[in-house]
């Protein structure tokens, strides 16, 4: 069986919209050179092809001079699904799957039509592929996955692995490439849940290469298309030299447990505590939440200035009120975009989703609009949210989709949200399947009692049996509408506030003594000094 390797190179841009670092030296060697050298160290691919834009052909050939590769160009431009995938993957860059709509890391790079044409031109039965920004891709795993594919090719048309993005590649049968190219479908769609064509998750079939435990459980982006990923790869190479995938996986597992980044990956900003559903029991609202805000533009600007130091920064406008009710929402979104924030999302209940708001969301290209609906039927919605009108919200969602289509935009992606509880669990399947059919995605989240501060309406306790350090303490922060930062996003009263972004930079709050002590307490399991943490059941959530 003839399997070729294909590396997608671009020395200037990335499909994420970030700056390409493939020509930049990584520990003394350009990223693309490192990636190519690792792929060439594999034994199974019969040829290695590097594909680049036409205006970069000479540069790529010069950079790879002497390497046993075929450098070729294509003027096909971006993949037809690139803009959609760019938005869908923003909140899941560290994982191989988990993007909205089922997007996977192997949807990010490459053009399915170019791959299909190359496979046909070279008479390849299949291609193994990775981005040129994968300097830690493991040659031994390339060989293992290709051998696995060849041994099982009679009953599968692709091979992937549950691994951090950039550590392994993906294999596609040429016939599958042709079929996907004919329909302009990204490869990750083959793994996505489809309510009208349900199947066993492909992760449980032969097409999923059984990666070692250290690789399966590790998280972290190793495609060096962001500052954070580039610095991670540099640190790994400096400390481990020329490591294999298992060593990298162990390093990432240890890093996630011990090291804290200079700034959080994601910040949630509460714009106001005003809400049209003050009496809902599914989330803290109304009199249970101290009156705060509306947040000032100065506070939002201070947060954005800090977060913009990293080109993968994520900001969610949410908190314990409806952000659509902030009188300066338009200026806030304009501010976030002017600072270059990578991902901007907004969480609301949809009641204030009117024509003017739709125009605002479109004009500032908000990436994600999450709408808390909590029910599929009008009757149950009316019981849970008497102030709302589900048929009207559905109509406004349809209008948003139409306006987005007219503007030829993919954003905002619409994500209906259900907080699963005793009252609505019977509608869970209808909600998820119905909204996937309607808008392509939906989210169901377990009920939280906010560390014992709210009535427990959970269907079941979903926390694992063994307590581990809270994941959110090392990757996300909550800023309340008065500018204060809390230890925890379960703190709707602000009792654990550690400072204010109007007085102290976000990075200093994030690295403050209070945060360091809280993280240390979680690592040691000594939560007596953190009563909210000791009562919390959300510590395992990402």
């Amino acid at each position: 069986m003839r399997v070729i390797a294909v590396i997608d190179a671009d020395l200037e841009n990335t499909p994420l919209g970030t700056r390409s670092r493939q020509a930049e030296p990584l520990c003394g060697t350009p990223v693309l050179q490192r990636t190519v050298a690792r792929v060439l160290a594999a034994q199974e691919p019969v040829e290695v092809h590097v594909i680049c834009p036409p205006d970069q052909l000479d540069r790529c050939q010069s950079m790879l001079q002497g390497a046993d590769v075929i450098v070729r160009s294509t003027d096909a431009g971006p993949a037809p699904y690139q803009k959609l995938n760019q938005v869908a993957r923003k909140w899941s860059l560290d994982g191989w799957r988990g993007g909205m709509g089922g997007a996977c890391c192997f949807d990010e790079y490459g053009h399915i039509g170019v791959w299909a044409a190359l496979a046909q031109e070279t008479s390849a039965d299949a291609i193994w592929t990775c981005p040129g920004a994968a300097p830690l891709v493991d040659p031994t795993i390339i060989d293992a996955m290709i051998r696995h594919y060849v041994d099982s090719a009679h009953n599968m048309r692709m091979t992937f692995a549950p691994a951090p993005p950039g550590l392994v590649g993906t294999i596609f049968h040429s016939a599958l490439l042709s079929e996907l190219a004919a329909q302009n479908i990204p490869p990750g769609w083959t793994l996505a849940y489809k309510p009208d064509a349900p199947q066993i998750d492909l992760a449980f079939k032969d097409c999923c290469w059984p990666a070692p435990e250290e690789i399966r459980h590790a998280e972290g982006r190793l495609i060096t298309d962001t500052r954070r990923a580039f610095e991670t790869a540099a640190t790994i190479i400096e400390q481990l030299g020329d490591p294999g995938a298992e060593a990298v996986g162990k390093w990432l597992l240890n890093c996630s447990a011990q090291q804290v980044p200079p700034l959080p990956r994601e910040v949630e900003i509460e714009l106001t505590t005003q809400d049209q559903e003050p009496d809902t029991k599914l989330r803290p609202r109304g009199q249970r939440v101290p009156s705060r805000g509306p947040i000032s533009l100065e506070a939002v600007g201070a947060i954005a200035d800090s977060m913009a130091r990293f080109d993968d920064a994520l900001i969610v406008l949410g908190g314990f009120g409806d952000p659509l009710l902030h009188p300066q929402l338009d200026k806030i979104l304009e501010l976030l975009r002017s600072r270059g924030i990578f991902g901007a999302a907004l969480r609301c209940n949809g009641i204030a989703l009117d024509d003017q708001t739709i125009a605002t969301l479109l004009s500032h290209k908000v990436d994600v609009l999450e709408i808390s609906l909590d029910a599929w039927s009008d009757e149950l919605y009316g019981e849970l949210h008497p102030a709302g009108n589900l048929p009207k919200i559905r109509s406004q969602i349809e209008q948003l989709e139409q306006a987005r289509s007219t503007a030829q935009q993919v954003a905002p992606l619409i994500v209906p949200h259900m907080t699963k509880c005793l009252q609505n669990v019977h509608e869970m399947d209808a909600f998820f399947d119905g909204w996937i059919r309607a808008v392509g995605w939906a989210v169901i989240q377990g009920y939280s009692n906010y560390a014992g501060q709210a009535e427990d309406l959970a269907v079941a306790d979903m926390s694992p049996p063994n307590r581990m350090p809270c994941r959110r303490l090392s990757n996300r922060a909550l800023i309340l509408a008065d500018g204060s930062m809390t230890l925890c996003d379960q703190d709707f009263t602000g009792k654990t506030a550690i400072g204010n972004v109007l007085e102290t930079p976000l990075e200093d709050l994030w690295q403050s003594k209070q945060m360091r002590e809280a993280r240390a307490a979680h690592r040691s399991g000594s939560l007596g000094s953190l009563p909210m943490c000791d009562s919390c059941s959300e510590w395992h959530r990402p």
Side-chain angles (χ1 to χ4, degrees):
M1 180 169 289
R2 181 176 170 80
V3 180
I4 64 172
V6 179
I7 300 172
D8 284 283
D10 191 321
L11 307 180
E12 297 179 2
N13 304 297
T14 76
L16 298 181
T18 56
R19 173 174 59 82
S20 174
R21 293 165 169 84
Q22 291 187 31
E24 294 184 15
L26 178 65
C27 298
T29 303
V31 169
L32 180 59
Q33 282 186 12
R34 283 187 173 273
T35 303
V36 169
R38 299 275 283 194
V39 175
L40 286 173
Q43 302 298 313
E44 293 295 331
V46 297
E47 293 173 353
V48 178
H49 296 255
V50 176
I51 302 177
C52 66
D55 60 350
Q56 298 178 26
L57 181 60
D58 291 343
R59 292 170 63 194
C60 286
Q61 287 176 332
S62 177
M63 183 181 297
L64 300 175
Q65 187 175 7
D68 187 18
V69 298
I70 302 168
V71 183
R72 53 203 303 156
S73 65
T74 175
D75 58 0
Y81 47 79
Q82 179 176 303
K83 289 184 178 180
L84 173 61
N85 190 68
Q86 179 187 108
V87 176
R89 284 286 297 169
K90 285 188 176 183
W91 268 263
S92 52
L93 293 182
D94 283 350
W96 71 275
R97 73 188 305 184
M100 283 168 276
C104 297
C105 67
F106 44 78
D107 294 330
E108 295 174 4
Y109 278 79
H111 191 301
I112 205 78
V114 173
W115 291 348
L118 180 59
Q120 183 176 10
E121 177 187 335
T122 59
S123 300
D125 298 291
I127 70 166
W128 173 95
T129 183
C130 82
L136 289 167
V137 65
D138 190 329
T140 61
I141 289 184
I142 296 174
D143 289 337
M145 290 180 66
I146 291 178
R147 288 193 293 268
H148 175 80
Y149 172 81
V150 171
D151 290 343
S152 306
H154 60 281
N155 65 357
M156 64 183 186
R157 299 198 296 170
M158 67 183 298
T159 296
F160 58 91
L167 195 56
V168 304
T170 310
I171 303 169
F172 300 102
H173 190 283
S174 57
L176 175 61
L177 293 174
S178 296
E179 292 173 16
L180 295 175
Q183 302 176 65
N184 287 329
I185 293 175
W189 185 85
T190 59
L191 280 75
Y193 170 68
K194 308 171 189 64
D196 297 318
Q199 63 175 350
I200 297 174
D201 191 329
L202 295 185
F204 297 103
K205 291 192 173 185
D206 287 344
C207 54
C208 181
W209 181 71
E213 181 178 350
E214 294 85 353
I215 300 175
R216 294 198 311 270
H217 293 171
E219 294 181 5
R221 188 170 185 83
L222 301 174
I223 302 175
T224 58
D225 47 11
T226 68
R227 171 186 167 180
R228 201 181 309 257
F230 187 90
E231 292 177 354
T232 297
T235 303
I236 291 173
I237 293 171
E238 289 168 355
Q239 294 184 6
L240 303 182
D242 191 29
E246 291 184 55
V248 173
K250 290 178 182 178
W251 189 94
L252 289 172
L253 288 169
N254 181 66
C255 175
S256 65
Q258 302 295 332
Q259 298 187 29
V260 177
L263 282 160
R265 170 69 61 84
E266 177 181 323
V267 169
E268 181 172 354
I269 305 176
E270 178 186 78
L271 299 191
T272 177
T273 55
Q274 289 187 326
D275 193 90
Q276 306 92 330
E277 291 286 356
D279 300 320
T280 179
K281 293 184 177 181
L282 297 188
R283 49 193 64 87
R285 294 294 188 271
Q287 294 183 356
R288 289 170 290 174
V289 179
S291 178
R292 294 184 292 259
I295 198 168
S296 67
L297 289 177
E298 182 184 2
V300 176
I303 298 167
D305 285 341
S306 293
M307 291 293 285
R309 288 172 49 192
F310 286 86
D311 53 1
D312 60 353
L314 304 171
I315 289 183
V316 178
L317 305 180
F320 304 102
D322 188 343
L324 297 185
L325 299 181
H326 193 287
Q328 294 180 297
L329 177 62
D330 182 76
K331 291 184 178 180
I332 288 174
L333 293 174
E334 181 182 4
L335 187 154
L336 295 182
R337 287 313 188 199
S338 69
R339 298 300 199 274
I341 296 301
F342 179 65
L346 192 149
R347 184 184 298 118
C348 66
N349 58 32
I351 296 174
L353 187 62
D354 55 22
D355 295 353
Q356 181 177 347
T357 302
I358 288 174
T360 297
L361 298 175
L362 287 172
S363 65
H364 298 295
K365 298 182 179 179
V366 171
D367 294 291
V368 177
L369 177 66
E370 182 179 301
I371 306 176
S372 299
L373 298 175
D374 305 311
W376 177 248
S377 68
D378 297 348
E379 294 76 17
L380 179 59
Y381 178 89
E383 294 175 16
L384 296 174
H385 306 304
N389 184 323
L390 185 56
K392 182 179 179 181
I393 295 175
R394 287 181 183 271
S395 176
Q396 289 301 113
I397 289 174
E398 292 175 1
Q399 188 162 331
L400 171 56
E401 285 192 294
Q402 180 59 51
R404 188 180 60 187
S405 176
T406 300
Q408 297 184 327
Q409 292 182 201
V410 300
L413 298 183
I414 302 166
V415 182
H417 177 275
M418 168 186 275
T419 295
K420 180 178 66 174
C421 67
L422 295 170
Q423 291 173 274
N424 63 13
V425 65
H426 63 286
E427 288 197 359
M428 184 171 66
D429 290 345
F431 182 94
F432 193 67
D433 289 357
W435 281 113
I436 282 183
R437 293 186 183 101
V439 298
W441 200 235
V443 169
I444 297 178
Q445 186 175 12
Y447 176 85
S448 172
N449 61 23
Y450 291 86
Q453 299 180 95
E455 179 184 358
D456 191 356
L457 301 176
V459 177
D461 183 0
M462 300 302 293
S463 56
N466 298 319
R467 184 74 183 244
M468 296 177 292
C470 178
R471 300 173 67 186
R472 296 181 178 182
L473 278 173
S474 60
N475 59 44
R476 65 194 309 265
L478 171 67
I479 310 297
L480 299 177
D482 58 7
S484 60
M485 173 177 158
T486 65
L487 278 178
C488 172
D489 63 5
Q490 301 293 293
D491 181 12
F492 58 84
T493 63
K495 66 179 67 174
T496 67
I498 61 174
N500 196 294
V501 295
L502 291 172
E503 301 167 355
T504 307
L506 175 63
E507 49 266 51
D508 292 344
L509 293 173
W510 180 247
Q511 300 290 346
S512 65
K513 179 181 177 182
Q514 298 99 313
M515 292 296 294
R516 294 197 307 271
E517 290 177 345
R519 293 171 186 133
H522 274 257
R523 287 193 294 269
S524 66
S526 305
L527 301 178
S529 62
L530 302 169
M532 280 194 65
C533 296
D534 201 26
S535 304
C536 181
S537 59
E538 298 296 301
W539 48 269
H540 60 290
R541 304 290 184 187

